[in-house]
Amino acid sequence: MLKLIEKEKKDDIIKYCLERFGLRQKNLERYHWYEGSKNRIFIGPEKVKRINPESLGLCIFRLDKTPKPTTNFIQLFGEKINKNYIILNKTETVKICKGENLKKKIDVEAGFVALKYKSISLGCAHWNGEIIKNQIPKSKFCNINFL
Amino acid sequence: MYKTQTIKEKIVERYSSLVDNSDQFTNAVKKPLKQTFRINSIKGDKDKILNDMRNYDASIKKIPWCDNAFETDLTNLGSSIQHFSGQIYIQELTSMVPPLIVSNIIKQKTVLDCCAAPGSKTTQMAEIMNNEGHIIANDARHGRIKSLRGNLDRLGITNTTVTLRDFNSFPNTSADVYLVDAPCSSEGTIRKKNAVARKWRQHDYDRFSKLQKNLLKKACEMAPKGSTIIYSTCTLAPEENENVISQILDEEDIDLKKININGLKLDNGVTNWKEEDYNKEVKKCARMWPHHNDTDAFFLARMEKC
């Protein structure tokens, strides 16, 4: 069951988006925000009375100890992300899309990162200073033949 | 159960009296379809996406009657980085037509997509709407909702509410546009894979016709005055097309509107079939024959609630 998100939680996520990814508030303002089960945060249209939705809008975050961005979020707002992203080469992109982790020397802050191939946003990963840990959902894994 | 070739022959025989050129029709039905796709501009600039794709695919050609549609000689675009990232959607050309005919009236509006899964038309409308306004995407089958949800996520669609209901029991909902892309015998998809071969049965026409009429009637009943209702199927059978529209015209307060798309050849609806005469207005419906635009076969009707 989706409910409208509390203002404090929404403000925290918007603050995180700006601090972590440089994503400005104006990009997130036009949506209605909801909280669903398992601490999942959705952005979408206004809820319609009398209709019991199976789902609504797009799941963009999961609130754990810290906010965790989803691959949907990174892919949708990737063009506007200007901090803590990693540009992958062809081989690395193929590995990431297959679901593998990567070992790579990079200069970004530890935490969640956006993965890109050229300007294409691929999804979310976690960087712990040594390994880029793949956070793309299993259901999206794919053998890429054309890039 | 019939073999694919036999079904193709049966379909050609059944409809040869309706087509303008039965040789061309026969040849088109036998020819496999090219893979076609649509660029999803929600995930990036159209020209940039196209340039990226042309680095590995020189065969891409633009479809003249649809801005975002292209065909390719590649058969497995599903393993491209553009598909992975939601920049493209692999979609039959005929399936792109219903959203096209309402493209000038859905921006900032509410659309009720009554049989939405797997979401080709829903995601196309969302893109036309620039992810604004509201689409209610309903489907009656749980298994199909999963593929709908997956496609909405992959294409970054935020303006859609997904519902799982038999549309006949859907709560009355006011919308500007109702899309009834009804389940059908799918004869029109005969050029691709063996989908029809597995399912095709003569007596399905009656079963589908009843189901289609109920769905369309429900949409007409809940539609407010002035709203638009689109009915489409991927079958050639008049039993499931003009017959359904004719009955609805006789029972509901609706006007049928003529359909035009620049560069796309559309044939009129048929007014009689197997000794049955339909309401003469059904001429305004549109038939897409495989040999006219090198596509699947398709049927469309555009109605306005009075």
Side-chain angles (χ1 to χ4, degrees):
Chain A
M1 192 69 175
L2 293 170
K3 57 175 190 189
L4 279 173
I5 192 172
E6 292 162 18
K7 190 179 177 305
E8 295 74 34
K9 280 186 184 172
K10 180 179 167 181
D11 290 346
D12 284 349
I13 294 171
I14 287 175
K15 192 176 160 207
Y16 174 88
C17 288
L18 182 62
E19 286 175 357
R20 180 76 202 164
F21 295 115
L23 183 67
R24 299 171 81 93
Q25 184 173 354
K26 65 175 185 184
N27 295 300
L28 300 162
E29 265 168 0
R30 72 175 165 108
Y31 304 102
H32 294 263
W33 288 58
Y34 303 93
E35 185 171 358
S37 60
K38 298 177 188 168
N39 298 321
R40 287 179 301 172
I41 308 301
F42 295 78
I43 51 170
E46 193 174 0
K47 229 172 158 180
V48 179
K49 281 177 194 162
R50 297 172 57 219
I51 288 182
N52 186 21
E54 193 69 9
S55 70
L56 194 154
L58 200 71
C59 179
I60 56 160
F61 267 87
R62 188 161 165 185
L63 297 180
D64 231 329
K65 287 172 199 159
T66 60
K68 178 189 177 297
T70 64
T71 282
N72 293 336
F73 169 82
I74 299 289
Q75 286 192 352
L76 184 60
F77 295 105
E79 272 188 335
K80 311 237 167 47
I81 288 175
N82 54 38
K83 271 171 82 177
N84 292 311
Y85 62 86
I86 302 169
I87 304 275
L88 305 179
N89 63 30
K90 265 191 185 185
T91 315
E92 291 163 344
T93 300
V94 169
K95 283 182 177 175
I96 278 290
C97 293
K98 240 190 242 177
E100 294 177 21
N101 299 328
L102 297 174
K103 217 165 183 183
K104 188 176 164 94
K105 289 218 164 186
I106 41 169
D107 183 25
V108 293
E109 297 165 39
F112 290 109
V113 291
L115 301 178
K116 297 187 184 194
Y117 170 68
K118 294 181 180 170
S119 61
I120 302 170
S121 300
L122 303 172
C124 181
H126 188 270
W127 166 246
N128 63 6
E130 279 181 30
I131 291 171
I132 300 170
K133 194 153 189 294
N134 203 324
Q135 301 289 312
I136 295 171
K138 272 183 199 159
S139 59
K140 289 186 192 270
F141 291 169
C142 175
N143 284 320
I144 300 292
N145 294 319
F146 303 112
L147 74 168
Chain B
M1 190 76 71
Y2 302 91
K3 287 182 181 169
T4 312
Q5 192 54 42
T6 316
I7 292 167
K8 283 186 178 177
E9 283 164 8
K10 279 176 180 281
I11 285 174
V12 164
E13 189 187 326
R14 191 169 201 262
Y15 300 114
S16 58
S17 66
L18 296 181
V19 294
D20 52 356
N21 186 322
S22 68
D23 286 343
Q24 284 179 11
F25 174 55
T26 310
N27 290 335
V29 165
K30 285 179 185 165
K31 225 171 76 178
L33 266 186
K34 275 201 172 178
Q35 184 153 94
T36 50
F37 67 92
R38 172 171 59 79
I39 287 184
N40 174 33
S41 58
I42 289 170
K43 287 283 183 84
D45 175 70
K46 186 177 95 177
D47 294 333
K48 170 93 179 57
I49 295 170
L50 205 53
N51 282 341
D52 286 348
M53 293 182 77
R54 286 197 163 121
N55 286 333
Y56 59 78
D57 182 6
S59 72
I60 295 174
K61 280 189 204 131
K62 193 184 174 325
I63 302 297
W65 49 267
C66 182
D67 262 356
N68 278 2
F70 300 86
E71 68 170 30
T72 170
D73 292 343
L74 291 181
T75 53
N76 50 351
L77 264 187
S79 63
S80 67
I81 198 72
Q82 283 73 25
H83 186 269
F84 176 86
S85 61
Q87 292 183 328
I88 62 165
Y89 190 102
I90 298 168
Q91 185 175 355
E92 299 306 335
L93 292 175
T94 46
S95 151
M96 298 182 198
V97 178
L100 271 189
I101 61 177
V102 288
S103 60
N104 56 343
I105 57 165
I106 54 175
K107 282 170 193 156
Q108 301 287 346
K109 297 286 171 67
T110 301
V111 178
L112 177 47
D113 190 349
C114 311
C115 317
S120 2
K121 298 170 192 75
T122 314
T123 53
Q124 188 183 352
M125 289 191 290
E127 192 220 348
I128 291 167
M129 294 161 84
N130 198 24
N131 240 345
E132 292 171 2
H134 190 185
I135 301 176
I136 300 162
N138 179 66
D139 209 274
R141 285 165 59 189
H142 193 267
R144 287 169 60 85
I145 290 283
K146 203 177 163 191
S147 59
L148 171 63
R149 190 60 268 165
N151 283 324
L152 293 170
D153 283 351
R154 187 171 63 83
L155 271 72
I157 306 302
T158 55
N159 72 342
T160 298
T161 299
V162 174
T163 55
L164 170 64
R165 285 199 80 143
D166 174 357
F167 189 64
N168 291 310
S169 64
F170 203 88
N172 278 351
T173 304
S174 181
D176 302 287
V177 174
Y178 297 79
L179 173 59
V180 184
D181 182 46
C184 67
S185 55
S186 308
E187 287 174 348
T189 63
I190 191 75
R191 290 180 67 184
K192 69 169 188 187
K193 44 190 177 178
N194 291 326
V196 188
R198 277 188 266 115
K199 296 189 288 186
W200 195 73
R201 302 273 192 287
Q202 286 274 11
H203 61 257
D204 274 353
Y205 298 130
D206 286 343
R207 182 171 67 86
F208 278 120
S209 177
K210 278 178 199 151
L211 173 69
Q212 291 150 349
K213 191 191 159 192
N214 287 340
L215 291 170
L216 185 55
K217 197 170 170 62
K218 176 74 180 177
C220 290
E221 281 169 1
M222 69 166 78
K225 191 178 170 187
S227 59
T228 298
I229 303 146
I230 304 295
Y231 175 79
S232 62
T233 69
C234 56
T235 181
L236 292 162
E239 294 92 333
E240 301 177 60
N241 295 328
E242 288 89 346
N243 171 47
V244 172
I245 300 298
S246 181
Q247 290 183 56
I248 291 290
L249 281 173
D250 293 343
E251 294 171 21
E252 298 292 326
D253 212 4
I254 54 160
D255 270 348
L256 204 51
K257 302 284 178 193
K258 188 91 180 134
I259 297 168
N260 266 317
I261 293 174
N262 274 345
L264 182 67
K265 184 170 178 182
L266 297 171
D267 206 358
N268 291 338
V270 298
T271 52
N272 56 68
W273 172 250
K274 292 196 184 284
E275 294 167 10
E276 193 170 345
D277 290 327
Y278 303 133
N279 186 318
K280 296 286 175 227
E281 279 286 290
V282 300
K283 255 192 205 165
K284 290 179 183 168
C285 298
R287 283 185 159 259
M288 285 179 74
W289 295 101
H291 58 296
H292 284 169
N293 307 285
D294 194 14
T295 59
D296 279 333
F298 207 68
F299 176 86
L300 284 152
R302 178 182 178 149
M303 290 152 274
E304 191 178 302
K305 182 73 180 271
C306 306

